Amino acid sequence: MAALQSADESRTGYSRTAFKYWTAGDNPTDGCNTRQEVLLAEATVASEVGPRRAITGGTWFSYYNEVAVDGARGLDIDRMVPLAEAWETQ
């Protein structure tokens, strides 16, 4: 541990739009991106695809804290560390 260097964190140069990460998924013709496909596949109680491919309803189980989550908006499935935090600590 003594050999590790430390430095102040900085968001200089960070731009959220620089990180394009959702692709058209396994089936580019269905209109769902990767996040939507994962949500549909991993739901423990089925969700529905609404207008503009919005995921509505559904329940998911979090293996990290053993909690059931209702509604896709309550989930972050794309990363374990927020992008801004990762940028600051690079």
Side-chain angles (χ1 to χ4, degrees):
M1 293 294 290
L4 294 175
Q5 296 179 359
S6 65
D8 292 334
E9 294 181 353
S10 171
R11 285 199 186 168
T12 301
Y14 171 76
S15 171
R16 173 67 182 84
T17 58
F19 296 91
K20 298 184 186 326
Y21 52 92
W22 294 121
T23 68
D26 283 340
N27 181 358
T29 64
D30 70 0
C32 289
N33 63 29
T34 305
R35 180 180 192 274
Q36 293 161 326
E37 288 182 354
V38 170
L39 288 170
L40 292 168
E42 297 291 324
T44 57
V45 173
S47 54
E48 295 181 15
V49 180
R52 299 174 66 183
R53 308 310 291 174
I55 304 294
T56 58
T59 300
W60 293 264
F61 182 75
S62 169
Y63 294 98
Y64 296 103
N65 56 7
E66 298 184 348
V67 171
V69 178
D70 293 323
R73 290 184 178 213
L75 299 168
D76 268 332
I77 66 165
D78 54 337
R79 61 190 82 75
M80 296 297 295
V81 176
L83 291 174
E85 179 65 23
W87 184 271
E88 288 178 347
T89 56
Q90 63 176 331

